[in-house]
């Protein structure tokens, strides 16, 4: 950053706008009855008079100068120094209008509210204690992961500090005092814990005193789960009520954790943008290496997107930012898709949880179940409402308790009612247990309050024939709490995982990567019941959660491991290593709504941590590249200042073709060819020779020049050009791959996607 040294002139020039603002304010007849609202005010810090030693003192003086100010200290919620230069405050429209007249004003963001995107996984990712990335990275030792979430349960065994190295000297953070939280609960694992709720409270949204804590302590378990997934320590003998038994450990178990609580127990479990900004601002100031966010706001251009703006500041400080893609599950539903953010979708693990049912005729079926008690049902009558359509599908209010009490109820498949509603009906009627039929199970692990299992509809014919026969039908046995490894296909993209193309920048392929996000076992807060069975409320220290919220901390953990090995790598280099070494998802077994999945669903593929350690080539990107990208979007001067937080920049190329590890070609009716240019850095052997292998379907053509890259030294840069052509008859989405392969078994893979609009 360049600083001017003509201080007398600077004081004079920069004081005048605020003298003018004072005069404007004094003459303004504002109604004292105007409503107050929270605004995030983005200021041009070069206008700060040198008489103010800190930005906060300047911000307070601005608030003091507005018409009819209340206590300006109470008006100010946060003063931001890193994510943006500015502040958040409670203002009336008239007060805001006066501030916006100042030449120091850049942008205003009305308060907005975001939402959450809510053991075995290290093994599934190929992480082993004696070889590969784990020992090479010393399990992430010395790296600090900042988690922006719902807080943390510090007493969890996942946050014990046995075997942890000392806190890095560069760490500037702290653990704060608060309700049921003391700085003494922190240790060498949990090295920082802060909370931010001023924005939420200023908006009049009450934080629950019954279920939450005015401190970094977790109320919901989400932040504890994501933190332990990313960097939890080794804990033996954990399970989800008997399911998934084993040793829990985070992806980077020797990394340090810092929690920034920005989500609170309210009616909507929302987060205020001003609080999220404050948490991210503090994380940058504290010195985190990785920032993980499993939350998001409505999709909006980057100059209005608080997470995008704050993340770009973090990237400029060398911090890797990993964000969940969202749980909306349909095309163009990507959240957190800015190209400097690593955007993560959710995939499955090769593990399933089930129960078995054996009928009295000897037929045995295995189905999905998370019922949390080890019950064993034998010789129970089997009920099926065969003469009543509503009873046969267990429609709400249809079952007669006199007919089903003490029996196992068989509920047929129907598009008139979902499985959860069927379970509610079975529970209401007092049935002993249940068998459901569906090919699209929609029940979460905390909703199995009746002993039950879900079978595919293909099993329906055999069960229906038996239960409608002449003899009395009976269930010989039902067994629960069974875990099976090696389930195929795995991974496949979770149905809820948000899909591309990114609505803000469809020319940047999003999500970037897919990681485990379904039935992930990790630590939770044991303060609230997980499930109610009969008259009993069950709690647990470890539980299965699903969501892109669970996928993002997996990638944050891998980024921490890579950072531990390659301290000199930029955030873009780490992203490139993760993307170009990913392995493709099994497309044939991965249909979403009858349509085969594409890179718009899974990005570069599924994360492969061990290969990411030695990628061979990397696609690097610096801050100026992002400036050029933003220029190419046609942003005006004020919008540019809002995103990049500076007054001067160079837009020499104005291209939206970033040096990205993937290619997304967007075609209109008038275009059939797109051209890209890329630069790769050799991080492998100095004499590496890479040859291009192109894979593409009929109706699509990919060309590359040159087709061979010959390096003579490590860290050497070479460039190439790639072009994509499609036929007018090609499908709406088609894709192929560019693979650079060298003599040392490196395969540097990039998806190439063509999208017709």
């Amino acid at each position: 950053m360049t600083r001017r040294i003509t201080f007398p002139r600077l004081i004079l020039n920069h004081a005048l706008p605020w003298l003018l603002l004072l005069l404007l304010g004094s003459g303004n007849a504002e109604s004292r009855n105007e409503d107050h609202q929270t605004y995030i005010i983005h200021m041009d810090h070069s206008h700060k008079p040198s008489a103010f030693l800190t930005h906060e003192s300047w911000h307070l003086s601005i608030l003091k100068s507005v018409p009819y100010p209340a206590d300006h200290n109470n008006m100010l919620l946060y003063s931001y120094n890193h994510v943006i230069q500015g502040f958040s405050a409670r203002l009336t429209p008239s007060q805001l209008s006066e501030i916006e007249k100042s030449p120091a004003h850049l942008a205003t963001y009305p308060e907005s509210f975001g939402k959450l995107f809510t053991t075995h996984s290290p093994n599934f990712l190929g992480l082993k204690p004696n070889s590969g990335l784990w020992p090479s990275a010393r399990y992430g030792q010395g790296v600090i992961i900042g988690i922006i979430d719902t807080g943390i349960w510090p007493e969890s065994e996942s946050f014990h500090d046995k075997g942890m190295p000392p806190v890095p000297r560069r760490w500037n953070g702290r653990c704060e005092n608060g309700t049921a939280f003391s700085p003494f609960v922190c240790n060498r694992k949990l090295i920082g814990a802060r909370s931010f709720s001023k924005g939420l409270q200023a908006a009049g949204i009450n934080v629950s005193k019954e279920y939450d804590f005015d401190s970094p302590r977790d109320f919901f378990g989400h932040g504890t789960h994501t933190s332990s997934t990313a960097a939890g320590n080794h804990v033996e003998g954990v399970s989800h009520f008997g399911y998934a038994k084993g040793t829990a450990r985070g992806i980077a178990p020797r990394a340090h954790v810092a929690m920034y609580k920005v989500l609170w127990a309210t009616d909507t479990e929302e987060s205020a943008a001003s609080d999220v900004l404050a948490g991210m601002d503090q994380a940058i100031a504290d010195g985190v290496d990785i920032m993980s966010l499993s939350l998001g706001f409505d999709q909006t251009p980057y100059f209005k997107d608080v997470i995008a703006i704050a993340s770009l500041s973090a990237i400029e400080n060398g911090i890797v930012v990993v964000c969940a893609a969202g749980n909306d599950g349909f095309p163009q539903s990507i959240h957190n898709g800015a190209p400097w953010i690593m955007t993560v979708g959710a995939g499955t693990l090769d593990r399933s949880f089930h129960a078995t049912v054996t009928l009295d005729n000897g037929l045995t079926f295995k189905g999905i179940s998370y019922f949390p008690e080890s019950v064993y049902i034998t010789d129970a009558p089997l009920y099926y409402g065969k003469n009543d359509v509503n009873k046969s599908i267990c429609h709400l209010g249809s079952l007669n308790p006199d007919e089903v009490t003490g029996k196992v109820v068989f509920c047929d498949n129907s598009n008139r009612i979902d499985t959860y509603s069927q379970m509610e009906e079975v529970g209401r009627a007092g049935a002993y247990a249940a068998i459901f039929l569906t090919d699209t199970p929609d029940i979460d692990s905390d909703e199995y309050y009746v002993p039950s299992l879900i079978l595919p509809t293909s099993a329906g014919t055999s069960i229906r024939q038996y239960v409608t026969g002449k003899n009395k039908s009976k269930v010989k046995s039902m067994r629960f709490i069974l875990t099976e490894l090696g389930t195929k296909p795995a991974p496949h993209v979770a149905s809820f995982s948000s899909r591309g193309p990114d609505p803000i920048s469809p020319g940047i392929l999003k999500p970037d990567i897919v990681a485990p996000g379904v039935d992930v076992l990790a630590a939770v807060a044991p303060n609230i019941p997980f499930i109610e069975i009969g008259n009993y409320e069950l709690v647990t220290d470890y539980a299965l959660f699903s969501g892109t919220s669970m996928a993002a901390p997996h990638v944050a953990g891998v980024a921490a491991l890579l950072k531990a090995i390659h301290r000199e790598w930029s955030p873009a280099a780490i992203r490139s290593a993760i993307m170009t070494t990913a392995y493709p998802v099994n497309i044939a077994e991965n249909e979403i709504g009858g349509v085969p999945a594409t890179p718009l669903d899974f990005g570069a593929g599924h994360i492969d941590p061990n290969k990411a350690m030695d990628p061979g080539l990397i696609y690097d990107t610096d801050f100026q590249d992002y400036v050029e990208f933003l220029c190419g979007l046609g942003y005006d001067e004020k919008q540019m200042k809002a995103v990049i937080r500076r007054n001067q920049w160079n837009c020499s190329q104005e291209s939206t073709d970033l040096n990205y590890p993937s290619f997304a070609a967007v075609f209109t009716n008038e275009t059939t060819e797109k051209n890209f240019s890329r630069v790769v850095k050799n991080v492998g052997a100095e004499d590496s020779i890479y040859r291009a292998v192109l894979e593409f379907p009929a109706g699509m053509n990919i060309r590359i020049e040159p087709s061979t890259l010959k390096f003579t030294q490590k860290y050497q840069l070479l460039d190439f050009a790639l072009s994509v052509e499609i036929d007018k008859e090609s499908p709406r989405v088609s894709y192929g791959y560019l693979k650079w392969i060298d003599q040392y078994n490196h395969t540097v893979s990039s998806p190439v996607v063509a999208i017709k609009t």
Side-chain angles (χ1 to χ4, degrees), residues 37-38 40 109-114 200 270-276 297-298 300 304 306:
Q37 183 180 341
T38 300
I40 300 168
Y109 312 107
E111 183 71 283
S112 57
F113 300 92
L200 205 64
E270 290 177 320
S271 59
S274 56
D275 294 332
V276 174
F297 295 85
D298 290 342
T300 187
K304 294 182 179 179
V306 294

Side-chain angles (χ1 to χ4, degrees), residues 96-120:
L96 174 66
S97 177
E98 294 304 321
I99 292 176
E100 290 181 330
K101 293 175 183 177
S102 166
H105 174 267
L106 285 179
T108 298
Y109 312 107
E111 183 71 283
S112 57
F113 300 92
K115 58 184 178 181
L116 289 171
F117 297 142
T118 166
T119 68
H120 172 70

Side-chain angles (χ1 to χ4, degrees), residues 629-647:
F629 169 80
L630 293 167
C631 292
L633 296 178
Y635 285 1
D636 63 28
E637 181 179 353
K638 203 162 190 177
Q639 292 166 345
M640 287 292 294
K641 285 183 178 180
V643 183
I644 66 176
R645 311 165 319 285
R646 56 186 64 186
N647 296 314

Side-chain angles (χ1 to χ4, degrees), residues 43 55-63 76 79-80 86-87:
M43 305 297 291
H55 286 91
E56 183 174 357
S57 61
W58 180 39
H59 300 155
L60 285 169
S61 76
I62 295 170
L63 294 175
L76 181 69
S79 184
Y80 306 112
F87 59 93

Side-chain angles (χ1 to χ4, degrees), residues 663-686:
F663 301 82
V666 181
F667 293 94
T668 63
N669 292 332
E670 291 76 31
T671 57
T672 57
E673 182 175 359
K674 288 284 185 178
N675 299 306
F676 302 88
S677 61
R678 293 289 188 270
V679 177
V680 288
K681 179 188 292 186
N682 177 28
V683 293
E686 61 182 18

Side-chain angles (χ1 to χ4, degrees), residues 114-133:
K115 58 184 178 181
L116 289 171
F117 297 142
T118 166
T119 68
H120 172 70
S121 51
N123 293 336
F124 180 67
L125 294 176
L127 293 169
K128 299 178 180 179
N130 299 317
S131 63
L133 183 55

